[in-house]
Amino acid sequence: MNKYDVGVITDGELGCNLAFNLSANGYSTVLYNTGLENMLREEINEYVSGIQEMGILASTSAEMTVNLLKKPRVIFVISRSSIYADEILKELYELAEAQDIIIDTCDANYQITAKRCRLFEKKHVEYVGAGFSGTEVGALNGASIMVGGSLEAYNMIYEMLSCISSKYDGFPCCAYMGPDGAGQYVKMIHNGIEYGMMQSISEAISVLKRIIGCDRMLLCEIILEWGSGDHESYFIQAVYDILNKIDLESEQAIVDLVSDKIGYSKSVVWLCSSAMELSVPVPSIYAALNQRFLSALKKERVAFSNVTGGLKSEIHIVNDEKKTFIDDVKNALYLSALCIYSQAFTLLQRASDLYIWGTDPLDAAITFQGGSFIRARILSRVIDAFRNNENIKCLFEDPYFTATVKHHSASLRRVAGIAAEGGVAIPVIASSLSYLDSYASAELDTGIIELMRDYIQNTGFDIKEESKKRFHADWKSIRDEISCEEI
């Protein structure tokens, strides 16, 4: 019996499309779709005949899939669910043999991925924890793939991954990010940027609606114009498409029908937790996540709004000033995007250094720019920054981004001030301004906090001229003049 090149285990369309992509690129493919359990018999027959026309063999179990593959076996596990892999990987752990390669593309905490790497190492099975971005369209036509785990396995499957990944400037958007959980960590960074960008765009729209009264058609015009410049991105295009859609039944704009409660996944919770553990500030990303939590408090928000009448003042921007204000919002959004990308990549580099992954931020940026959700013109600027200076530790060190901060900071400040006065919530934009103000301060007024810590807990403090020494003050003294002793 002929053996097949690769197996795909999935629970739905995402994995099916990946199997189609593999088959179209010349790899004989076995597909095990656990989602068949939820189909009617007619649907199953139609499904099986459809994939057979693509030259793909339908499997009915993980064991059958493994037995149909050439050795060493290559098996993709792919799903939208972050917990789907658990059950499948338990089966594959028992079925797989030495040198087999398991490619797990399900979102997972990078620490869990590292544990899985060590578990499969016991059987000499090559485990790859790969971040995957691109949804069903990307799975079929080319996705962004962030590979972590076994370098040996990556080298063996690189040609296959190159074929099924998206491309940017001729480069395949798949790269090795490092051992253990590095690939999933990079995907987590991707998701953090995604959350920040989605929230900041919604804030820009909210300011335009609530401060100068932009209706849906004017918003469409503004977003269309933004999409042809520095703001060009997948998300801007998505927002333009969304604003133009009308619900067939009610004949209302779909954007006017949707609830303001936002769902979220665990990946950005993991990112913020990691950032706190590594002492890396990511306020713009955290603000985006926090707003999703706040959105769920619908009953509480409605009740408080009824009591307070909304915490806002009337803002009057005359027609002559509206064009300038729209430009300010555009600039504020761009600068917020810069903060989001800068915070995310700084966190990635810090994690890579600490965990000795050797992750190249340039590889991550190129991988993002292909089929991922965060592909954008600003990401091309990020790629240029890392190409121009491989030792850069923060994007603000790049001349382009430094100049952008100087040029757009006044716009960011004006928008944040007007929004605050008008009672328009802009947590990401406001957090970005505070972040920039803090980052640009050679001297922060935070020394008083260190003194309070010493006053309460005897933690000690540094003296400016004695950077290598630590001191403690005699707070028990009743005199105004107190002594500071080295500790």
Side-chain angles (χ1 to χ4, degrees):
M1 180 179 67
N2 291 331
K3 296 285 186 174
Y4 289 74
D5 297 325
V6 59
V8 176
I9 300 179
T10 187
D11 59 353
E13 186 180 359
L14 188 65
C16 293
N17 282 0
L18 180 66
F20 297 153
N21 192 348
L22 287 161
S23 179
N25 278 284
Y27 294 96
S28 56
T29 306
V30 178
L31 174 61
Y32 171 37
N33 183 0
T34 61
L36 291 178
E37 300 166 0
N38 302 318
M39 292 185 186
L40 299 174
R41 181 169 297 278
E42 295 97 0
E43 292 174 322
I44 294 174
N45 292 336
E46 183 180 351
Y47 160 81
V48 171
S49 104
I51 67 168
Q52 285 177 341
E53 289 178 9
M54 297 285 296
I56 297 170
L57 181 66
S59 172
T60 56
S61 69
E63 182 177 10
M64 178 180 176
T65 303
V66 168
N67 290 334
L68 286 167
L69 298 177
K70 298 173 184 175
K71 294 183 181 180
R73 306 173 181 94
V74 178
I75 303 172
F76 284 86
V77 179
I78 181 166
S79 168
R80 283 183 174 275
S81 169
S82 61
I83 61 174
Y84 178 75
D86 288 340
E87 184 177 340
I88 298 299
L89 290 175
K90 286 177 184 176
E91 284 191 74
L92 290 178
Y93 183 79
E94 300 300 326
L95 296 168
E97 299 175 357
Q99 279 70 60
D100 287 349
I101 300 173
I102 310 297
I103 308 165
D104 175 12
T105 69
C106 305
D107 275 359
N109 187 303
Y110 69 100
Q111 295 170 322
I112 296 296
T113 302
K115 289 180 182 178
R116 288 171 177 168
C117 284
R118 293 191 289 273
L119 177 66
F120 277 94
E121 278 178 4
K122 294 178 181 178
K123 289 192 67 174
H124 304 286
V125 173
E126 305 289 354
Y127 175 83
V128 172
F132 185 95
S133 177
T135 68
E136 289 78 5
V137 174
L140 183 62
N141 300 318
S144 292
I145 307 173
M146 302 137 245
V147 181
S150 169
L151 177 58
E152 182 179 353
Y154 172 74
N155 290 331
M156 293 175 65
I157 61 176
Y158 174 74
E159 184 176 342
M160 179 183 292
L161 295 178
S162 297
C163 289
I164 63 172
S165 68
S166 54
K167 308 298 183 292
Y168 171 70
D169 274 357
F171 292 94
C173 292
C174 64
Y176 182 69
M177 300 301 167
D180 300 326
Q184 286 293 358
Y185 199 97
V186 174
K187 176 60 191 307
M188 190 173 74
I189 293 295
H190 165 283
N191 290 357
I193 295 171
E194 175 187 332
Y195 274 41
M197 290 307 304
M198 283 183 169
Q199 178 62 34
S200 59
I201 292 170
S202 78
E203 290 172 16
I205 290 173
S206 182
V207 168
L208 293 174
K209 285 172 57 180
R210 297 175 187 273
I211 299 297
I212 59 174
C214 288
D215 61 15
R216 185 175 62 86
M217 296 311 296
L218 181 54
L219 285 172
C220 285
E221 292 178 18
I222 292 170
I223 296 298
L224 179 63
E225 186 270 325
W226 288 1
S228 62
D230 287 338
H231 281 285
E232 179 189 357
S233 69
Y234 173 82
F235 286 133
I236 288 292
Q237 180 60 52
V239 167
Y240 177 75
D241 289 344
I242 290 167
L243 288 171
N244 276 290
K245 299 301 181 185
I246 304 296
D247 175 57
L248 277 175
E249 184 174 341
S250 66
E251 297 185 345
Q252 294 184 63
I254 192 74
V255 73
D256 294 330
L257 298 176
V258 67
S259 166
D260 63 354
K261 293 191 289 187
I262 321 169
Y264 67 94
S265 66
K266 288 290 186 181
S267 60
V268 183
V269 176
W270 301 331
L271 181 150
C272 292
S273 176
S274 176
M276 286 187 281
E277 289 175 1
L278 302 184
S279 302
V280 177
V282 291
S284 302
I285 296 171
Y286 180 77
L289 177 63
N290 195 52
Q291 195 69 353
R292 296 201 178 197
F293 298 156
L294 272 168
S295 76
L297 304 177
K298 182 67 173 181
K299 291 181 180 178
E300 295 87 340
R301 289 189 288 114
V302 170
F304 191 57
S305 177
N306 289 337
V307 171
T308 62
L311 304 175
K312 60 184 178 180
S313 303
E314 291 296 326
I315 300 293
H316 299 285
I317 295 180
V318 298
N319 288 334
D320 292 346
E321 297 174 342
K322 286 185 178 180
K323 175 63 170 65
T324 299
F325 183 73
I326 291 170
D327 288 340
D328 279 340
V329 174
K330 177 182 178 182
N331 294 338
L333 176 59
Y334 192 73
L335 200 46
S336 292
L338 192 162
C339 289
I340 292 162
Y341 277 93
S342 180
Q343 291 165 22
F345 274 96
T346 297
L347 175 59
L348 173 59
Q349 290 173 280
R350 171 64 177 142
S352 176
D353 290 344
L354 182 66
Y355 301 129
I356 320 175
W357 285 336
T359 308
D360 188 340
L362 175 59
D363 284 343
I366 290 173
T367 300
F368 293 159
Q369 189 65 315
S372 87
F373 306 138
I374 64 172
R375 57 187 184 271
R377 184 169 295 188
I378 192 174
L379 188 50
S380 296
R381 299 288 193 177
V382 174
I383 291 169
D384 291 341
F386 287 122
R387 279 178 174 164
N388 293 335
N389 182 0
E390 62 181 17
N391 297 316
I392 194 170
K393 290 299 182 182
C394 175
L395 289 173
F396 293 141
E397 298 172 18
D398 179 76
Y400 170 79
F401 289 116
T402 301
T404 301
V405 171
K406 292 179 179 178
H407 188 261
H408 289 341
S409 59
S411 289
L412 178 60
R413 200 172 303 282
R414 283 193 292 268
V415 170
I418 291 172
E421 189 176 352
V424 180
I426 52 167
V428 170
I429 293 175
S431 294
S432 297
L433 175 60
S434 292
Y435 175 74
L436 285 173
D437 281 339
S438 296
Y439 201 81
S441 296
E443 186 77 25
L444 292 170
D445 295 318
T446 49
I448 188 68
I449 299 173
E450 193 73 336
L451 293 178
M452 284 191 282
R453 293 179 71 235
D454 186 54
Y455 187 96
I456 297 167
Q457 299 176 322
N458 298 325
T459 54
F461 53 89
D462 296 335
I463 296 292
K464 295 176 183 178
E465 290 76 17
E466 299 284 354
S467 59
K468 294 183 179 180
K469 298 179 180 179
R470 196 147 179 90
F471 294 83
H472 166 63
D474 180 18
W475 300 110
K476 294 179 181 179
S477 173
I478 62 174
R479 297 169 57 89
D480 289 340
E481 299 84 6
I482 61 175
S483 61
C484 297
E485 296 181 355
E486 185 178 346
I487 57 174

